[in-house]
């Protein structure tokens, strides 16, 4: 996919009205330090449009990036970061839920899981929650470059079993360093947005 244009179009806080977009939306969910901004930047072919941070829990808004005037990447707030108050977490949860329930244009939710570790309770909750809102999440197993090649299959199996994924559910191993997995993610987005 050739990215000719990528811009941050809308930022929604807890009280903001969600935009009524007319192009397909692809949402990205994941733990605070799972590499969500790095993935979104890799998919946009940009170094730093989505702000990456050494301080987890930075994304506290829903950010809509308009790509090629054809579809949106939607960056959801990261979850599971300890230093955020319970009240703030509850508000983010409501904000994400409102988005999942109300967006007319949401085509797919990508859930990012660190391939090195077994899915956490928060990961499993998010996975189940996305399904209960009517979507089959596509799992992106990040930080692939941190594993030896011989470990990959074992860790893929660990993530699939840890989440209780169905056989037909999609899991894409991904590395922001080497960009491995990016073409598969693009292919899915093109197919689901009718750009093929």
């Amino acid at each position: 996919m050739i990215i000719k244009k990528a811009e941050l179009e809308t930022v929604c806080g807890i009280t903001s009205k969600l935009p009524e977009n007319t192009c397909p939306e692809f949402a990205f969910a994941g733990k605070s330090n799972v590499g969500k901004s790095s993935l979104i930047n890799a998919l946009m072919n940009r170094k730093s449009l989505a702000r990456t941070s050494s301080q987890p829990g930075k994304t506290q808004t829903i950010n809509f990036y308009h790509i090629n005037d054809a579809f949106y990447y939607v960056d959801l707030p990261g979850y599971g970061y300890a230093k955020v108050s319970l009240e703030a977490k509850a508000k983010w949860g409501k904000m994400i839920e409102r988005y999942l329930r109300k967006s007319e244009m949401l085509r797919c939710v990508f859930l990012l899981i660190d391939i090195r570790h077994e899915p956490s309770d928060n990961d499993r909750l998010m996975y189940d929650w996305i399904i209960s809102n009517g979507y089959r999440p596509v799992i992106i197993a990040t930080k692939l470059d941190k594993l030896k090649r011989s470990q990959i299959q074992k860790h893929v199996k660990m993530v699939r079993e840890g989440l209780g994924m169905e056989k037909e559910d999609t899991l894409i191993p991904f590395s922001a360093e080497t960009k491995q997995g990016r073409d598969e993610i693009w292919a899915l987005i093109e197919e689901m947005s009718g750009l093929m």
Side-chain angles (χ1 to χ4, degrees), residues 131-181:
I131 289 170
S132 72
N133 276 288
Y135 297 93
R136 291 299 316 176
V138 170
I139 303 304
I140 299 177
T142 61
K143 308 191 190 254
L144 179 63
D145 49 281
K146 307 275 196 258
L147 291 182
K148 292 192 180 101
R149 189 161 280 195
S150 60
Q151 299 172 299
I152 294 170
Q153 279 318 324
K154 185 180 120 190
H155 282 255
V156 163
K157 186 169 183 261
M158 176 180 79
V159 171
R160 290 190 80 96
E161 288 177 354
L163 291 173
M165 291 174 71
E166 302 286 339
K167 260 207 180 79
E168 63 276 11
D169 288 341
T170 305
L171 182 148
I172 301 171
F174 173 80
S175 163
E177 293 294 313
T178 67
K179 308 292 183 278
Q180 188 177 333

Side-chain angles (χ1 to χ4, degrees), residues 118-131:
E118 209 164 309
S120 66
D121 290 347
N122 280 327
D123 289 330
R124 282 191 290 273
L125 270 174
M126 191 68 185
Y127 179 76
D128 292 341
W129 195 38
I130 294 167
I131 289 170

